[in-house]
Amino acid sequence: MKQFTRHLAAGAAATLLSFNLTTTAHAAVADASSADATLAGSPADAFVFVSGWNPHAGRDGNSSGLAPAFDPYGSEAWTLLDKYDHRSDFRNLGQLRFAFSETTTTTGLWSVTNTSATTGVTLDLAFAMHAGSPGAAWLFDDQVILPGQTLDGTWEVRWTNRAGVPPDFASLALFGRDVVLAPVPEPGAVGMLLAGLGVLFLRRREAD
């Protein structure tokens, strides 16, 4: 069922891309794709390109451009996790902390770290960039981030402006939804659980 939903989402994204290409002469999706943003060595599960959209805008960001294409992958509303531009770095106030760097004006690295030592996180994570007039977003569906884990990623701007070249990076916003927290038992608790199971096993053998 989820695979079918993903096919529907891909079709919706393709339709949206086609719409944007025919309604603006100022930007083109060009070679941009889901492979232009990676996390933990894997490309994004979905991608959307929207002319005239700035996901960084406003105090809570602007998720309107990614919602139509990514809605089939989840159910909850998108929430801004953090955002970055050349004037202000990430606030990094939550359990997930982000880092971002530019190798060139159109390529670079990023990462997300789970700062909790005891609680894992699973979520839909959207990485949304603004460059030139358009915005683009990449979805990492049901992304698992273990306690204390850092996941490294890459990014690249491959759409083009009216001059036919990729515009410089301007800003970034990260959105999340369908967040599931999974506390991991401490080693001592795991040992006690195993010991208890061992006692139950021995008692059952004695009863037999």
Side-chain angles (χ1 to χ4, degrees):
M1 181 65 182
K2 192 162 189 176
Q3 188 67 27
F4 176 71
T5 301
R6 289 182 175 181
H7 285 309
L8 287 178
T15 301
L16 185 58
L17 291 176
S18 175
F19 175 78
N20 282 306
L21 289 175
T22 58
T23 56
T24 175
H26 302 299
V29 67
D31 296 324
S33 72
S34 59
D36 299 336
T38 69
L39 188 61
S42 298
D45 297 295
F47 164 75
V48 65
F49 169 91
V50 182
S51 185
W53 171 52
N54 181 2
H56 186 275
R59 187 182 71 174
D60 298 322
N62 177 5
S63 63
S64 63
L66 61 87
F70 296 167
D71 275 356
Y73 291 82
S75 57
E76 296 181 359
W78 290 99
T79 299
L80 179 71
L81 300 176
D82 216 331
K83 59 182 184 175
Y84 168 94
D85 64 17
H86 292 131
R87 295 172 297 175
S88 57
D89 204 347
F90 294 115
R91 296 183 68 192
N92 275 332
L93 300 178
Q95 180 176 334
L96 298 181
R97 306 291 175 88
F98 299 95
F100 181 87
S101 65
E102 298 175 64
T103 305
T104 69
T105 58
T106 58
T107 63
L109 306 173
W110 70 290
S111 68
V112 54
T113 298
N114 181 357
T115 59
S116 173
T118 60
T119 304
V121 180
T122 300
L123 77 165
D124 287 350
L125 177 61
F127 178 92
M129 288 198 304
H130 184 228
S133 168
W138 293 261
L139 171 66
F140 297 92
D141 186 40
D142 294 336
Q143 181 64 58
V144 177
I145 311 173
L146 300 175
Q149 185 178 35
T150 295
L151 301 180
D152 296 316
T154 62
W155 62 269
E156 182 173 5
V157 176
R158 290 171 61 87
W159 60 89
T160 57
N161 56 23
R162 74 175 76 189
V165 298
D168 293 349
F169 164 83
S171 61
L172 167 72
L174 293 131
F175 298 92
R177 70 171 178 190
D178 296 347
V179 178
V180 177
L181 301 179
V184 176
E186 296 182 4
V190 173
M192 292 177 63
L193 175 61
L194 292 175
L197 290 174
V199 170
L200 289 174
F201 176 73
L202 289 174
R203 287 182 177 176
R204 185 164 185 174
R205 288 196 62 185
E206 291 172 356
D208 293 342

